[in-house]
Amino acid sequence: MTDPVSTSALPARVVVTGATGKLGRAVVAHLRDRGVDVLAVDRAGGRDPRDVEGEFLLADLTDYGQVVEAFTGGADEHPGRADAVVHLAAIPAPGLLPNAATFANNSAATYNVFAAARAAGIKRVVWASSETVLGLPFDTPPPYAPVDEDYPPRPETTYSLNKALEEEMARHFCRWDPELTMVGLRFSNVMDVEDYAQFPSFDADPRLRRWNLWGYIDARDGAQAVERALAYDRPGAEVFVIANADTVMSRSSAALMAEVYPGVEIRKELGEHETLLSIDKARRLLGYEPRHSWRDHV
Ligand SMILES: NC(=O)c1ccc[n+]([C@@H]2O[C@H](COP(=O)([O-])OP(=O)(O)OC[C@H]3O[C@@H](n4cnc5c(N)ncnc54)[C@H](O)[C@@H]3O)[C@@H](O)[C@H]2O)c1
């Protein structure tokens, strides 16, 4: 277990976008628990946004003006200026909307968030990139395993192409402002505790979940990664793979690779169920250490 983040290392007020989504709900709850003043922002908030617990603003991030108001305290009843932004809002996977609609929403939302943060003088931005940039669904085998941040993005879908462009965009925003820290978290497939009941069914066919090398991220561990990324204070753009420490499968990671990707180089001795989405960089630089496993719930 690594040390908890000291509260003094965390920004006082944080805007979280995508706050009513699967990951956003866990992140907002976690940061509020840690004493952070959170303005939750989403374009979906139920029938009445006042039903959403805590401070919440209904906003569409594809409209730049709405993003600026959210970040600078311009919206009535939400006067606080943000010290940092956690940007999670997106169409969260390929194939949910036509490609151009996914691209239009996600690219506009992220550009507006990055640009409004710059305009507002916010020096810390954490955002959701995605495991997909590693080359999912791995119809072309991974270059080696465990996969990590050391090879260039290999987007295979429009959704993933947009995430790869966001990572590139972040590098330029940081080049423009040497005091800016931008952390892209390449989350694996997000899971809530209720999702774990289906995990044993994955065992029958090792090819069923090969598309992300049998990885997952517990939403609560995802929230921990966000907290640690908010405390990361080295200026520049950095990306991290964020997954749980194990796979979704009962058979060993080495056996899975041997069966499904026999030609792929294995670069380290693998623990029995060790993740094939390497979290070594996140462990090293963020102090990230997953606390949960589906194995504790099924
Ligand atoms: N779910 C996964 O398995 C997964 C894996 C890797 C990365 N991610 C990324 O993590 C983030 C969160 O994903 P999630 O699973 O919580 O998705 P989700 O769909 O549950 O939540 C996303 C939220 O973003 C909001 N949103 C979308 N476009 C918006 C806009 N223009 N303005 C305001 N709000 C908008 C939606 O209303 C929704 O509440 C996304 O960026 C996603 O791409 C998700």
Side-chain angles (χ1 to χ4, degrees), residues 60-89:
D60 186 339
L61 304 171
T62 61
D63 178 339
Y64 181 69
Q66 296 187 35
V67 185
V68 171
E69 275 198 23
F71 290 4
T72 58
D76 287 348
E77 311 290 331
H78 304 284
R81 293 182 69 86
D83 302 303
V85 172
V86 175
H87 172 49
L88 307 174

Side-chain angles (χ1 to χ4, degrees), residues 58-283:
L58 201 57
D60 186 339
L61 304 171
T62 61
D63 178 339
Y64 181 69
Q66 296 187 35
V67 185
V68 171
E69 275 198 23
F71 290 4
T72 58
D76 287 348
E77 311 290 331
H78 304 284
R81 293 182 69 86
D83 302 303
V85 172
V86 175
H87 172 49
L88 307 174
I91 307 302
L96 300 175
L97 294 184
N99 294 349
T102 299
F103 190 86
N105 183 73
N106 291 0
S107 61
T110 300
Y111 171 78
N112 288 345
V113 166
F114 289 3
R118 176 174 156 83
I122 294 166
K123 300 297 182 190
R124 271 183 222 196
V125 176
V126 174
W127 90 101
S129 182
S130 156
E131 62 177 356
T132 58
V133 302
L134 296 165
L136 275 61
F138 292 119
D139 292 340
T140 301
Y144 52 84
V147 289
D148 59 18
E149 300 84 352
D150 286 349
Y151 62 97
R154 294 182 170 188
E156 303 288 358
T157 60
T158 297
Y159 165 80
S160 184
L161 175 65
N162 186 71
K163 294 290 190 189
L165 294 174
E166 290 176 6
E167 293 186 358
E168 182 65 11
M169 193 155 56
R171 279 189 277 278
H172 295 295
F173 273 82
C174 287
R175 187 169 55 78
W176 294 341
D177 179 356
E179 290 173 14
L180 177 61
T181 303
M182 299 187 75
V183 180
L185 300 175
R186 293 175 170 181
F187 290 109
S188 186
N189 195 193
V190 180
M191 298 289 169
D192 286 328
V193 171
E194 309 81 79
D195 297 321
Y196 292 144
Q198 63 173 322
F199 274 36
S201 70
F202 300 152
D203 270 334
D205 179 1
R207 281 162 212 280
L208 207 59
R209 303 279 305 182
R210 74 160 200 179
W211 55 270
N212 76 342
L213 298 183
W214 308 279
Y216 73 108
I217 178 71
D218 183 297
R220 298 164 296 178
D221 283 321
Q224 181 211 149
V226 168
E227 178 192 359
R228 290 182 180 279
L230 280 170
Y232 185 74
D233 60 2
R234 272 184 244 173
E238 202 66 79
V239 295
F240 297 93
V241 175
I242 300 295
N244 277 83
D246 61 345
T247 68
V248 301
M249 301 291 279
S250 296
R251 68 190 83 183
S252 76
S253 301
L256 287 164
M257 287 304 294
E259 185 173 347
V260 179
Y261 290 114
V264 171
E265 177 195 356
I266 307 296
R267 288 214 168 154
K268 67 187 285 203
E269 194 164 330
L270 294 169
E272 186 174 11
H273 297 119
E274 183 169 340
T275 178
L276 295 157
L277 306 171
S278 172
I279 52 173
D280 290 349
K281 183 180 175 188
R283 281 179 160 135

